[in-house]
Amino acid sequence: MNTAETAAKTLEILREILPRARTVVSLVDLSSPVTGFYSAEVARAAKLLSLSFQTIALKSSGNLDAALPELSRLRPQAALVQPTLGLRAAEMLLTHGVPAVSPSATLAPSALITYSADLSDIYRIAAGYVDRILKGARPAELPVQQPTKFELVINHRTSRALGIDFPASIVARADRAIE
């Protein structure tokens, strides 16, 4: 499962937490080569979830302030943050009262939730590749492996700051909670 697919799953989880949310924005990083595919997958998921969905495209992660006028105009109930924009994007959204969600655990310290591949699983897969290559396997002949373990992180500190209560079903499913 790639980041675009985990972003779609993140929107599903967001819908469980904020069932009345109608307007969600996606902050995307135009400097990232995967933005086109990522945006298309996220837009498709938002449509399936009946969310009013707008994309705010930023030239780079250093250009976050450019999103503020559009955030003010749209007044979204939540924002999906592309991982390449980094933790600063989630912090900025929190400052403006907008819950951030992301398919990257690196944003967990400020995001309401993150849903992403488990890093220990990714490292295990990478170690397997290294082992096989060191034993003589040709990298071009190795199969592509996807992560099989995913992690839902919920942030109680952010939920309290935004006045959002997590449903019991989300708390029970969380792999990790930030208090």
Side-chain angles (χ1 to χ4, degrees), residues 123-140:
Y123 296 148
R124 180 192 54 75
I125 292 168
Y129 279 117
V130 170
D131 181 57
R132 291 170 73 183
I133 291 167
L134 290 175
K135 289 179 178 173
R138 293 182 46 182

Side-chain angles (χ1 to χ4, degrees), residues 1 115 117-118 121-122 124-125 145-151:
M1 188 178 279
Y115 180 78
D118 184 299
D121 190 42
I122 292 172
R124 180 192 54 75
I125 292 168
Q145 288 183 284
Q146 296 286 342
T148 57
K149 291 175 63 181
F150 295 87
E151 178 183 53

Side-chain angles (χ1 to χ4, degrees), residues 4-25:
E5 291 169 326
T6 54
K9 181 67 177 172
T10 303
L11 284 178
E12 288 178 35
I13 297 167
L14 173 65
R15 178 57 113 187
E16 289 181 56
I17 296 167
L18 300 172
R20 290 193 172 98
R22 292 292 173 249
T23 303
V24 175
V25 297

Side-chain angles (χ1 to χ4, degrees), residues 6-179:
T6 54
K9 181 67 177 172
T10 303
L11 284 178
E12 288 178 35
I13 297 167
L14 173 65
R15 178 57 113 187
E16 289 181 56
I17 296 167
L18 300 172
R20 290 193 172 98
R22 292 292 173 249
T23 303
V24 175
V25 297
S26 178
L27 293 181
V28 298
D29 178 4
L30 292 177
S31 68
S32 171
V34 299
T35 296
F37 174 72
Y38 174 89
S39 294
E41 184 71 19
V42 169
R44 185 189 63 74
K47 184 177 180 178
L48 290 172
L49 294 166
S50 300
L51 292 170
S52 172
F53 189 75
Q54 298 288 322
T55 297
I56 299 175
L58 301 170
K59 291 181 183 175
S60 70
S61 62
N63 193 25
L64 292 172
D65 291 339
L68 295 177
E70 196 67 5
L71 283 171
S72 179
R73 183 182 73 77
L74 294 171
R75 298 176 11 163
Q77 282 87 37
L80 179 67
V81 179
Q82 185 175 357
T84 55
L85 290 172
L87 182 58
R88 197 169 143 251
E91 292 167 347
M92 178 203 64
L93 289 163
L94 179 59
T95 300
H96 289 86
V98 178
V101 299
S102 181
S104 173
T106 60
L107 278 69
S110 292
L112 181 65
I113 63 160
T114 62
Y115 180 78
S116 61
D118 184 299
L119 285 177
S120 62
D121 190 42
I122 292 172
Y123 296 148
R124 180 192 54 75
I125 292 168
Y129 279 117
V130 170
D131 181 57
R132 291 170 73 183
I133 291 167
L134 290 175
K135 289 179 178 173
R138 293 182 46 182
E141 294 174 357
L142 294 176
V144 173
Q145 288 183 284
Q146 296 286 342
T148 57
K149 291 175 63 181
F150 295 87
E151 178 183 53
L152 172 61
V153 179
I154 61 175
N155 189 324
H156 290 289
R157 187 178 61 236
T158 297
S159 71
R160 284 190 298 274
L162 295 170
I164 296 171
D165 294 321
F166 287 117
S169 62
I170 295 294
V171 173
R173 283 187 1 225
D175 297 292
R176 188 164 52 102
I178 296 173
E179 299 296 332

